Amino acid sequence: MKLYNLKEHQEQVSFGQAVRQGLGRNQGLFFPSELPELGDVDALLEMDFVSRSSKILSAFIGEELAADTVEQMVKNAFQFPAPVARVKDGVYALELFHGPTLAFKDFGGRFMAQSLAAVSDSDGKITILTATSGDTGAAVAHAFHGMDNIKVVILYPKGKISPLQEKLFCTLGGNICTVAVNGTFDDCQALVKQAFDDEKLRKDIGLNSANSINISRLMAQICYYFEAVAQLPKAERDNLVVAVPSGNFGNLTAGLLAKALGLPVKRFIAATNVNDTVPRYLQSGQWEPKPTIPTISNAMDVSQPNNWPRIEELCQLKGWGLSELGYGAVTDEQAAETLREMDVEGYLCEPHGAVAYRILTEQLQEGETGMFLCTAHPAKFKEVVDDILEKDIDLPGPLAKHNAMELLSLERDNDFGQLKEVLYSVQD
Ligand SMILES: *Cc1c(COP(=O)(O)O)cnc(C)c1O
């Protein structure tokens, strides 16, 4: 597999290099030079999730990794389903929250972990260092847990993430080291940056950020769009409209890549909360990010979505006009109202999914089938959901299990010397 840097097209890398580096020169995103031919998509849709996903990812990666290796990576990564639930006539939910951290990021995070292990030489050390305000830390910790040749250090601001979130990823132990820093999230990020700027440290421990723009994440996410269509009744596959609740637009990029590979999707809808840089851009042609506004769908509180250049590139390559994309933005009040409506339909959702559902059902036309992505489990946003629906929703198994476990975090000051000590000490 070859990929090029969207900012400097002459920089070409292999899959392995793209996975290890994350970003190219000048902070450019990597994009595949060629999209594979998948052949008969109907036949592909007949296969089971793991076999089909292995086939898609192996076609992408090409000769760099043996097909058996890719299949094993997929088996290790996709250990939970992506079921489709019917919400009402002609409207379906793709539930992406059945993984260990109850959000779709488990798919990409776990496949990235497998990819990184597969493309790194066995005696080279790898240390993942990341700062989190909650969600990404949990997904990274669970994705790498048990991969004993990779050490993971996660910093978070002490007392500033929800107790439930802390329990979810600070109870794992083994190769996962969590550090509660006496400081803010910005302090944690600054410490991480300082570590990456330290050339000697970086070499000594093989520092890697495993960050969210890694191409391996998007490739994994393509697979669940195929899984979604495979579960639809055949009669409803032809006029499918898919709404994607979007923040950094990785999920929508993956959906459009699935379409480019031949998945029959008539139209995608980019759904956001009031952080609506993209909907305004699609409306006016002007790219005008505003300051980020906090909302109840906080994983989408992004005003400068970092995957957008990949969408522009793909649309250009395929000759798709941006005007073919549906779009819309939803306020917190509307999202809350929609959650209540969905509850009446008998479907328990959370604010991110509700944003997509609302715009989907507003824009769905006669004869079309609608699908929206449910990106997180309702219990992950328990306080907000309980409050809006006046309920006390149950914690699902994994969350309840971790909630009962002991916290294993170290506590350190906002001090680079102390961080360095931790980074060296986890090596043995
Ligand atoms: C990350 C996240 C999103 C946004 O996904 P992007 O790929 O960044 O657009 C939406 N919902 C939830 C629950 C998330 O965690």
Side-chain angles (χ1 to χ4, degrees):
M1 177 179 192
K2 282 266 170 285
L3 302 102
Y4 58 95
N5 177 338
L6 287 182
K7 283 198 179 153
E8 297 188 24
H9 284 215
Q10 67 282 14
E11 183 183 9
Q12 299 238 0
V13 295
S14 64
F15 172 71
Q17 285 171 302
V19 168
R20 286 190 302 265
Q21 289 179 34
L23 282 169
R25 284 199 294 267
N26 196 11
Q27 308 287 308
L29 299 167
F30 290 120
F31 193 85
S33 303
E34 261 177 60
L35 297 178
E37 284 291 335
L38 294 182
D40 183 350
V41 170
D42 286 331
L44 205 59
L45 290 174
E46 295 297 315
M47 299 170 81
D48 67 85
F49 186 31
V50 167
S51 310
R52 182 192 322 110
S53 302
S54 305
K55 201 156 179 233
I56 294 169
L57 292 167
S58 193
F60 244 114
I61 296 169
E63 288 169 4
E64 250 178 282
L65 293 177
D68 292 356
T69 308
V70 176
E71 179 153 20
Q72 194 54 53
M73 288 158 60
V74 172
K75 276 189 184 146
N76 295 343
F78 295 1
Q79 291 185 354
F80 38 87
V84 167
R86 186 184 162 283
V87 176
K88 62 180 189 184
D89 261 356
V91 178
Y92 296 88
L94 173 60
E95 297 185 344
L96 299 172
F97 52 69
H98 295 278
T101 75
L102 310 175
F104 80 89
K105 293 194 173 70
D106 282 327
F107 285 99
R110 290 171 69 88
F111 186 70
M112 176 175 58
Q114 294 294 322
S115 300
L116 198 56
V119 302
S120 303
D121 53 52
S122 51
D123 47 88
K125 287 190 168 148
I126 308 176
T127 306
I128 309 290
L129 174 64
T130 184
T132 186
S133 51
D135 257 4
T136 48
V140 167
H142 280 266
F144 286 95
H145 187 221
M147 300 174 76
D148 290 321
N149 53 342
I150 302 183
K151 309 296 177 197
V152 177
V153 176
I154 301 174
L155 312 183
Y156 64 97
K158 183 176 156 62
K160 296 196 177 69
I161 69 176
S162 88
L164 207 58
Q165 260 183 341
E166 190 176 24
K167 285 281 188 168
L168 189 54
F169 75 102
C170 301
T171 50
L172 291 168
N175 62 325
I176 310 298
C177 172
T178 52
V179 184
V181 175
N182 289 309
T184 63
F185 174 60
D186 288 329
D187 294 334
C188 295
Q189 272 196 312
L191 285 171
V192 168
K193 183 163 186 311
Q194 212 173 344
F196 277 91
D197 287 343
D198 185 329
E199 195 77 33
K200 177 168 184 318
L201 175 69
R202 215 167 66 195
K203 282 227 173 72
D204 282 353
I205 65 170
L207 218 46
N208 188 299
S209 69
N211 65 21
S212 66
I213 42 63
N214 200 291
I215 191 74
S216 58
R217 283 182 185 260
L218 293 185
M219 288 164 57
Q221 290 174 241
I222 291 170
C223 300
Y224 54 62
Y225 285 93
F226 280 85
E227 176 68 357
V229 175
Q231 290 173 71
L232 283 181
K234 286 212 170 74
E236 295 190 67
R237 287 183 190 172
D238 283 344
N239 281 306
L240 180 62
V241 178
V242 180
V244 184
S246 295
N248 270 318
F249 282 80
N251 233 343
L252 183 61
T253 309
L256 290 166
L257 280 167
K259 181 175 159 107
L261 296 180
L263 189 71
V265 177
K266 183 177 171 192
R267 176 168 85 249
F268 280 96
I269 296 176
T272 71
N273 58 32
V274 292
N275 294 288
D276 58 351
T277 306
V278 166
R280 282 186 291 108
Y281 172 67
L282 292 172
Q283 172 81 46
S284 71
Q286 304 294 317
W287 186 262
E288 289 172 331
K290 294 181 187 165
T292 307
I293 302 165
T295 74
I296 57 171
S297 48
N298 59 27
M300 309 196 314
D301 293 349
V302 178
S303 52
Q304 310 224 36
N306 58 17
N307 269 300
W308 188 256
R310 284 181 167 140
I311 291 184
E312 296 244 342
E313 183 79 358
L314 181 59
C315 288
Q316 199 177 2
L317 289 171
K318 299 298 296 180
W320 298 336
L322 284 176
S323 59
E324 295 166 38
L325 272 178
Y327 58 86
V330 165
T331 64
D332 277 357
E333 291 69 30
Q334 291 171 324
E337 181 187 291
T338 307
L339 267 187
R340 288 187 212 103
E341 282 169 24
M342 296 174 85
D343 193 40
V344 171
E345 295 283 353
Y347 192 77
L348 179 64
C349 198
E350 54 71 49
H352 304 78
V355 163
Y357 176 85
R358 174 149 188 137
I359 299 171
L360 176 69
T361 49
E362 277 174 3
Q363 299 186 359
L364 206 59
Q365 289 165 18
E366 189 70 29
E368 291 178 336
T369 299
M371 171 143 359
F372 64 104
L373 271 50
C374 286
T375 46
H377 192 290
K380 202 154 183 171
F381 296 91
K382 179 173 165 53
E383 282 173 15
V384 175
V385 175
D386 279 356
D387 190 43
I388 292 171
L389 298 181
E390 297 175 20
K391 284 192 175 181
D392 179 14
I393 60 173
D394 287 334
L395 291 187
L399 210 55
K401 184 182 109 199
H402 285 282
N403 206 24
M405 289 162 71
E406 186 192 348
L407 285 180
L408 300 172
S409 296
L410 306 172
E411 193 181 325
R412 293 292 183 271
D413 291 328
N414 174 20
D415 176 85
F416 185 55
Q418 291 189 27
L419 172 61
K420 239 163 119 164
E421 216 173 287
V422 170
L423 287 169
Y424 280 106
S425 74
V426 298
Q427 300 302 320
D428 34 58

